[in-house]
Amino acid sequence: MMTQRLWLGLAVVYTCTALVQLYLLASTGAVWAGTLTAAGFVAALLCVLAAWKTPKRERDETREIDSHQP
């Protein structure tokens, strides 16, 4: 559960950063801000996907540990 929260927190940070870059793109028209905006949103999406897959992996590891106990 802790790993899932970590990934979701990281996704929030990337989303906020991308929104700031989007503001810079809109206000200045800088191409680099558009590139960073896209990269930030992609990174946030990947973090959300990692958070979504994490619980399944943790459950599988827990079952494996429980099955080895006498």
Side-chain angles (χ1 to χ4, degrees), residues 27-67:
S27 64
T28 64
V31 175
W32 61 266
T35 304
L36 290 178
T37 299
F41 282 129
V42 168
L45 178 65
L46 291 175
C47 288
V48 169
L49 289 175
W52 180 62
K53 290 186 176 225
T54 297
K56 180 182 183 300
R57 217 176 307 139
E58 287 178 354
R59 280 194 310 264
D60 291 344
E61 289 172 2
T62 304
R63 281 190 204 132
E64 184 178 313
I65 291 169
D66 289 343
S67 67

Side-chain angles (χ1 to χ4, degrees), residues 6-53:
L6 180 69
W7 282 116
L8 290 175
L10 197 55
V12 169
V13 169
Y14 278 124
T15 301
C16 291
T17 304
L19 290 174
V20 169
Q21 296 298 332
L22 185 63
Y23 170 75
L24 288 174
L25 174 66
S27 64
T28 64
V31 175
W32 61 266
T35 304
L36 290 178
T37 299
F41 282 129
V42 168
L45 178 65
L46 291 175
C47 288
V48 169
L49 289 175
W52 180 62
K53 290 186 176 225

